[in-house]
């Protein structure tokens, strides 16, 4: 995308992203045979990933959205997690797969897992496109993981910096970082 070329350097290109998402989709397809699968996409970041992942899963799944925010515009988490958009259906007895863009400190996901468990689903698993293990403050189990990356602030494919760059079709790092 010419518009962003000056400020963003490619870290994971579109072909690598899509190939890995197809592998994850095949694994999920195998693991959830015969189960009532619900993808819970965490807005806004994971929406791009979740729609591609859903198309790579060969099962009759449903898609739900949940909005949480632990960020207030910058590149550092405040540790405070809020629900900004809640699920609109009961999750009782469903097999939930939480779809996240990135697990950084792990605070958002640990909050989410506690919150979802209270709704008595049949199971809850985690699928995250990216993981930055060097920044972990709490340990969260990641059942399906796209890529492990080093401690760099990434943008693109759903990930934002000040709400921009989400529409890049690859994962990149800011040149000014
Ligand atoms: P955590 O609670 O620290 O694990 O942060 C998770 C959330 O922080 C993600 O869902 C992202 O919205 C945001 N985040 C963490 N690292 C990055 C990054 O490198 N780029 C953009 N957003 C990030
Ligand atoms: Mg997010």
């Amino acid at each position: 995308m010419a518009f962003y070329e000056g400020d963003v350097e490619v870290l994971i290109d579109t072909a690598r992203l899509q190939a890995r998402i197809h592998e994850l989709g095949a694994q999920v397809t195998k693991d959830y045979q015969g189960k009532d699968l619900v993808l819970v996409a965490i807005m806004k970041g994971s929406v791009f990933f979740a729609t591609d992942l859903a198309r790579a899963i060969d099962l009759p799944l449903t898609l739900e959205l949940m909005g949480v925010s632990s960020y207030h515009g910058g590149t550092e988490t405040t540790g405070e997690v809020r629900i900004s958009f809640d699920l609109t259906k009961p999750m009782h007895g469903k097999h939930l797969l939480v779809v996240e863009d990135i697990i950084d400190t792990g605070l958002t996901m640990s909050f989410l897992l506690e919150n979802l468990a209270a709704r008595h689903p049949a199971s809850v698993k985690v699928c995250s496109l990216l993981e930055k293990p060097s920044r972990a403050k709490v340990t969260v189990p990641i059942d399906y993981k796209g890529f492990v990356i080093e401690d760099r602030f990434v943008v693109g494919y759903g990930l934002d910096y000040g709400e921009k760059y989400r529409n890049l079709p690859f994962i990149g790092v800011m040149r000014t970082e």
Side-chain angles (χ1 to χ4, degrees), residues 1-175:
M1 279 195 184
F3 183 74
Y4 288 129
E5 248 161 40
D7 17 315
V8 182
E9 196 181 311
V10 178
L11 184 67
I12 304 168
D13 67 26
T14 306
R16 267 184 83 202
L17 269 181
Q18 294 302 328
R20 185 73 188 117
I21 291 165
H22 278 84
E23 288 174 1
L24 293 174
Q27 191 61 52
V28 172
T29 303
K30 232 170 99 192
D31 296 349
Y32 285 87
Q33 290 292 321
K35 290 184 176 158
D36 215 352
L37 173 62
V38 182
L39 294 187
V40 178
I42 308 306
M43 296 195 291
K44 300 172 195 168
S46 88
V47 166
F48 294 72
F49 171 42
T51 58
D52 280 344
L53 180 69
R55 281 174 284 201
I57 299 172
D58 190 9
L59 289 174
L61 56 82
T62 62
L63 174 69
E64 296 293 332
L65 297 170
M66 195 166 170
V68 290
S69 62
S70 58
Y71 259 44
H72 303 279
T75 61
E76 278 296 315
T77 183
T78 61
E80 183 197 324
V81 184
R82 289 177 297 120
I83 294 186
S84 51
F85 183 86
D86 205 355
L87 297 169
T88 55
K89 294 203 174 67
M91 292 295 129
H92 187 272
K94 308 271 190 201
H95 291 277
L96 310 185
L97 182 58
V98 187
V99 182
E100 248 300 27
D101 48 6
I102 187 165
I103 296 186
D104 185 25
T105 63
L107 293 168
T108 306
M109 189 52 73
S110 90
F111 168 87
L112 273 167
L113 292 177
E114 232 173 86
N115 184 285
L116 290 170
R119 302 167 199 237
H120 305 293
S123 70
V124 185
K125 283 191 177 182
V126 174
C127 177
S128 185
L129 181 63
L130 305 174
E131 183 198 17
K132 266 191 220 173
S134 57
R135 302 245 312 160
K137 285 192 179 150
V138 287
T139 312
V140 291
I142 308 177
D143 303 282
Y144 304 93
K145 194 184 298 183
F147 302 90
V148 175
I149 60 167
E150 43 181 284
D151 184 12
R152 313 212 32 202
F153 192 80
V154 289
V155 295
Y157 198 64
L159 293 144
D160 74 305
Y161 176 64
E163 291 298 324
K164 297 214 176 76
Y165 304 100
R166 293 193 197 276
N167 58 324
L168 287 176
F170 55 84
I171 303 283
V173 288
M174 312 289 297
R175 284 190 203 279

